[in-house]
Amino acid sequence: MNGINRLDIKQLRVLHALLDLKNLSQVARKMGLTQQAISEQLRKLRDLFDDRLFIRQGNSMVATPKALSMQQPISRILEQLEALLEPDVFSPQTYKGVFTISATDYATQALLPQLFHITRRDAPDLKLIVRDFASDNINQLIAAGELDLLITFPEFIPDNLAYVTLLEEQHFCITGCNNSFTTEPLSLAQIAAHSQLVVSPSRANLRGSHDQWFAEKGLKRNIVMSVPSFSAVPDILYTTDMIAFYPSRLLPNSRVKELKVEALPPTFKVIAAWHPRTSHSGIHRWLIEQLQQLSKSD
């Protein structure tokens, strides 16, 4: 180990250049050093390997058998060291692995089908697992590596995670396609008073994401039904007289129609989040790029 500790990369580069050029001044110019500096490195190499390594013959340096025996090993070592510094080039076509995504019900319908079309085409050996989004133990699962990527809303993720905003979404007010409503824009008071269906994926209750918005306007919503999934909403509205607020990216749907209203609730952001330790992971970056492109396409 004592010999290894005395050897550095610069000395290997000097030895490699001398074996190639066999001239001290040419090596000095190539490496941007003085001839004296090259001579000093050669002195250290001779001491380290206990061999003269090069013998001056006119203007050239003739390698000893010891030096010649090291030429190929040194070339391989320097090539391997340079490879360590080269940036990883990620290729989805050759990637093999399992990736776990935790996604909200909304994301599962609005983004994942298009994403999976891309992954099956461009990354055929990538295996994907989708889990329901549960905010209660996100930190534990993603820190343990049981989750790779989250597709959700900003308020549902811990502060220590990295994330990028994919899109801003808007809820429209909808009802069953056969229901009769005035063609005039509905007032917020009319909407609040009408029987409403809400989607509550994580907690079974009669509360909706826009309750506070209505409350700030002095209105209380008449929520009469709650379901855990957006996918159930069109079929339920089709067979009832209820209304609901529904994400625009899940429309159009043949079973429902959009209602004209005097105002729409605030938009909301959809994000992709991950643990900071995977920020330079090729597969993470590639999948996030695909999600960003999909989000811009609509």
Side-chain angles (χ1 to χ4, degrees), residues 25-255:
S25 59
Q26 290 182 26
V27 170
R29 285 196 297 271
K30 178 179 180 180
M31 298 188 67
L33 299 172
T34 65
Q35 188 168 328
Q36 183 180 353
I38 298 299
S39 296
E40 178 61 20
Q41 293 296 335
L42 178 56
R43 185 192 65 76
K44 292 179 180 179
L45 286 164
R46 283 169 169 165
D47 181 57
L48 179 64
F49 290 106
D50 192 24
D51 189 271
R52 295 185 67 185
L53 299 177
F54 295 91
I55 301 169
R56 184 177 293 278
Q57 191 175 75
N59 293 327
S60 297
M61 304 289 286
V62 178
T64 66
K66 174 71 171 178
L68 289 173
S69 72
M70 293 190 292
Q71 187 165 13
Q72 289 187 354
I74 289 172
S75 294
R76 287 196 298 269
I77 290 170
L78 291 175
E79 287 174 2
Q80 291 169 352
L81 288 172
E82 289 175 1
L84 288 176
L85 299 176
E86 291 179 358
D88 291 333
V89 178
F90 175 77
S91 171
Q93 285 289 341
T94 58
Y95 179 82
K96 294 182 180 180
V98 179
F99 198 90
T100 303
I101 299 174
S102 177
T104 59
D105 167 56
Y106 165 81
T108 301
Q109 296 181 64
L111 293 172
L112 293 190
Q114 302 100 303
L115 178 66
F116 295 160
H117 171 74
I118 293 172
T119 59
R120 291 305 304 147
R121 181 191 66 201
D122 297 341
D125 291 321
L126 168 65
K127 300 181 188 298
L128 289 163
I129 297 172
V130 180
R131 293 179 53 159
D132 288 336
F133 186 86
S135 58
D136 294 339
N137 59 346
I138 284 299
N139 237 342
Q140 177 183 348
L141 292 173
I142 203 162
E146 294 184 41
L147 294 178
D148 296 304
L149 190 68
L150 315 174
I151 308 177
T152 181
F153 312 115
E155 59 270 24
F156 290 166
I157 66 164
D159 293 337
N160 61 305
L161 299 187
Y163 75 90
V164 63
T165 299
L166 297 176
L167 57 97
E168 281 207 24
E169 175 63 289
Q170 175 75 67
H171 278 128
F172 290 162
C173 187
I174 63 171
T175 190
C177 61
N178 295 322
N179 291 340
S180 297
F181 277 86
T182 175
T183 58
E184 297 297 320
L186 296 171
S187 69
L188 293 183
Q190 288 175 303
I191 296 171
H194 198 88
S195 301
Q196 293 183 49
L197 168 69
V198 295
V199 176
S200 183
S202 57
R203 291 176 175 82
N205 55 42
L206 295 174
R207 296 176 183 173
S209 58
H210 301 307
D211 290 355
Q212 183 61 33
W213 182 65
F214 277 93
E216 290 170 357
K217 302 179 184 304
L219 299 170
K220 180 176 175 59
R221 300 169 73 188
N222 180 25
I223 298 173
V224 298
M225 188 179 296
S226 169
V227 292
S229 169
F230 282 111
S231 61
V233 171
D235 287 338
I236 294 173
L237 295 185
Y238 184 72
T239 60
T240 68
D241 64 341
M242 291 185 291
I243 62 174
F245 284 96
Y246 200 68
S248 66
R249 284 195 170 228
L250 302 186
L251 296 171
N253 183 293
S254 61
R255 295 195 159 229

